[in-house]
Amino acid sequence: MLSVCPHCSTPLSCHDHRVRYVKLRCGIRVALAVPRGYCAKCQRLHTELPSFVRPYKHYEASVMQDVVDDKSLMTCPADDSTIRRWKAEFSASAPYIETLLHAACAKKVPLFGEPLLAILRRKIRRWSILVTPLLCASDFYPATQFALVPPG
């Protein structure tokens, strides 16, 4: 269960579980019972998603990451329009993610260097799990964007 509210850091109380459906790389759709916590201060419910599930998305996170990285398109259960949308959403989000990474590192941004996000995508196998806490901390959750969530 989530221990603290991501908005105000107040301890959460266990509220209930919610069913969440996710389509895995193999194409099988599974139902997950994900816990929800209640923040008494904010009066909000927070769903704790496992690290392989993204907010507002119905496919396994590694499938989406492989599509964005142009890897394993043959094993992707999504249709072509969904794949194009994921790529467009990520392209639109990449500058924002890049800014968050630099802010988190508290380093000066080189004027003509390779983007930090590009370096992470090339060198770290599951880069999205590293980037996720930054997105969550900044409340970057538009339903139409490439969304990430912290590992549970």
Side-chain angles (χ1 to χ4, degrees):
M1 174 46 77
L2 289 170
S3 57
V4 295
C5 174
H7 298 285
C8 68
S9 300
T10 301
L12 298 175
S13 60
C14 185
H15 182 69
D16 63 5
H17 287 77
R18 177 177 170 252
V19 175
R20 174 71 189 265
Y21 294 95
V22 178
K23 191 174 270 191
L24 303 177
R25 178 177 304 280
C26 61
I28 295 173
R29 185 175 175 233
V30 296
L32 303 173
V34 292
R36 295 192 306 173
Y38 178 73
C39 176
K41 184 175 180 183
C42 296
Q43 297 182 347
R44 296 182 183 183
L45 281 176
H46 300 283
T47 302
E48 181 182 7
L49 294 176
S51 62
F52 65 91
V53 179
R54 300 293 179 240
Y56 312 111
K57 303 298 181 183
H58 299 279
Y59 289 87
E60 186 177 11
S62 64
V63 171
M64 296 173 63
Q65 180 179 319
D66 286 348
V67 165
V68 167
D69 290 341
D70 292 322
K71 299 176 185 173
S72 304
L73 290 178
M74 299 300 289
T75 61
C76 180
D79 59 28
D80 291 340
S81 64
T82 300
I83 290 171
R84 282 192 303 273
R85 188 179 70 250
W86 289 345
K87 287 183 176 191
E89 289 169 355
F90 179 75
S91 293
S93 300
Y96 186 73
I97 295 170
E98 181 73 21
T99 301
L100 290 173
L101 289 170
H102 281 288
C105 290
K107 293 182 180 178
K108 295 192 183 281
V109 180
L111 292 177
F112 299 103
E114 182 179 12
L116 184 55
L117 182 57
I119 294 168
L120 290 175
R121 289 177 66 199
R122 188 180 72 247
K123 292 188 175 190
I124 299 175
R125 184 170 175 263
R126 291 291 171 217
W127 57 267
S128 64
I129 291 175
L130 176 70
V131 172
T132 296
L134 299 172
L135 294 172
C136 292
S138 68
D139 290 328
F140 185 62
Y141 282 124
T144 59
Q145 296 295 320
F146 184 83
L148 302 172
V149 70

